[in-house]
Amino acid sequence: ARTTGRYEIGQIVEKHFPGYGTFRGEITGLPTADFDNYEVKYVDGDAEHLPSTEIHKYVVFAEGAVNTAAEKKKRSARAAKVTPSPPKKKRSKRTTKSSARPRKLSYDEDGPEWLSDMLDFLENVPHGPSGKTCSSTNAKSVFRQVRKLCSGDGITYKGWEDGVIFAKDRKITLEDTDLDALHKEARAFEAEHGRDKGHGWLLLHPIKKMKLYKEHRDSKPSADLMSSWSGSA
């Protein structure tokens, strides 16, 4: 039996990328006779194709709606079940809720001095085209990748061959690195060795966040300048 249906352009979807978070987007292209995939564009601008046999896993319906015949069957089974949930399941729910609570990221003393300020910027200062802050999960991901770039360790990825490392032995800095050029280099590197399936959070987003933070920092008056203003008042 067919369970996926045929979704329309504009249908909202949500997909979780392990280690990077959950992203919302919408269907922007429909399957054809030659290409049985839906095109999905996410809110951060990235896009991908999802097979028509899998798209139902990510479709978001209005509250109370049922996605598929399989889900309808599961819902009916739950409604027919009269046995109350055991106490263990209740404890599990409390544990999950507690573990999902955002945790404030801590500054790594081995990193550059501005890293702690960048963390605060990511989580608390609206930035980028969307004018939004980063979630704790995404801020942690950016922090981890930026720290590797700044240390000179470079970035590795399970989808690349052994020994392939981006920016190995190059200490990336806010002051001396052309971040636009680095972003273009990262795109070319992924095109050669394999694209990040984590939706850009491996290289492209961290470098973009570094540039946004640099622009934010450069727009703020320095401490010395503020002191001179105060002295001349």
Side-chain angles (χ1 to χ4, degrees), residues 6 8 28 32 41 45 101 135 156 164 230:
R6 189 168 181 85
E8 299 179 353
T28 54
T32 65
K41 185 172 183 179
R101 186 178 299 114
S135 67
T156 59
V164 174
S230 176

Side-chain angles (χ1 to χ4, degrees), residues 186-208:
R187 281 191 178 278
F189 194 90
E190 286 193 6
E192 178 181 356
H193 297 288
R195 190 184 178 196
D196 163 31
K197 296 186 182 300
H199 207 52
W201 295 97
L202 178 73
L203 288 175
L204 302 181
H205 291 340
I207 295 172
K208 187 184 299 182

Side-chain angles (χ1 to χ4, degrees), residues 21 31 36 50-51 76 88 94 103 151 156 168 180 189 213:
D36 194 24
L50 295 174
S76 298
K88 183 177 181 180
R94 288 198 298 269
R103 182 169 59 86
S151 69
T156 59
K168 175 67 174 175
D180 284 324
F189 194 90
Y213 168 68

